[in-house]
Amino acid sequence: MRATLPLAVTALAAALTLTACDSGGDNGTDTAGKNGTGTAAAGTAAGTAAGTACGFAELGLEIGPANAAPAVGDTGNLPVTLTNTKAGACTLDGFPEVGLLAGDTSWTVAREKAAQPAKLTLHQDESATFTLTYVRGEAGGKGAADTLRIALPGGSGDTVAKTAKWTYGVIAEKGAGLDATVSPFQTAGD
């Protein structure tokens, strides 16, 4: 009897350990690729089914507060939070498409090279975030953006992109573009 009790306790502990390693649920990522359509029907239940791409019809957008770069050569960070405001779920896959505009001139913000993007599933009231990191440029420089444009991957039409005023100063130039990068989507709070 004494030998079977420690063996049973060991087996139970092993089973609990294995169960703890398996989330058994949705931790915000979708690795199964449940739906390959990649499109969202704006504002409909079908558009918010798990596996469909999120659009701004489903998402609330919060920009900032920023850790603005105060002087030339300093680095600033602008967090952007997206919250699913509709019933059901939708997905964000990889990186947002971020652009900066100044009149007729536009720049695409580069993706962080070392980043490991993931596919996130957002259920109602869940949030994801990404960060735009930039280096402050000299006043009067070519990177005097006045508009920030954010587009979501996989959607279609006007539910995919939003613009906002850029109020964080001139961005330093880097090659033919600007010294700025964007992170992939991450579950808010990670």
Side-chain angles (χ1 to χ4, degrees):
M1 180 71 176
R2 287 186 216 188
T4 58
L5 184 59
L7 184 58
V9 170
T10 303
L12 179 62
L16 291 174
T17 301
L18 290 174
T19 302
C21 291
D22 178 18
S23 67
D26 186 5
N27 65 357
T29 61
D30 179 9
T31 57
K34 298 173 189 167
N35 180 337
T37 63
T39 59
T44 67
T48 57
T52 60
C54 295
F56 283 110
E58 294 88 16
L59 299 178
L61 174 69
E62 180 182 351
I63 299 174
N67 171 20
V72 173
D74 288 345
T75 299
N77 297 297
L78 179 63
V80 176
T81 303
L82 303 163
T83 302
N84 185 353
T85 61
K86 304 286 184 180
C90 63
T91 60
L92 293 169
D93 193 3
F95 289 85
E97 297 172 24
V98 177
L100 292 159
L101 312 161
D104 292 337
T105 304
S106 65
W107 301 272
T108 299
V109 176
R111 296 174 174 181
E112 288 182 357
K113 289 183 180 178
Q116 297 295 318
K119 186 173 187 177
L120 305 180
T121 299
L122 295 182
H123 298 279
Q124 185 173 10
D125 299 325
E126 290 181 337
S127 299
T129 187
F130 65 89
T131 303
L132 171 69
T133 302
Y134 68 98
V135 176
R136 181 77 177 252
E138 294 186 31
K142 292 181 182 177
D146 56 17
T147 304
L148 171 67
R149 182 180 185 276
I150 299 167
L152 302 175
S156 62
D158 59 358
T159 66
V160 177
K162 291 273 187 184
T163 59
K165 189 165 183 65
W166 178 263
T167 60
Y168 309 102
V170 176
I171 302 166
E173 296 173 55
K174 184 175 184 180
L178 299 180
D179 196 352
T181 58
V182 63
S183 72
F185 296 112
Q186 300 174 18
T187 302
D190 284 355

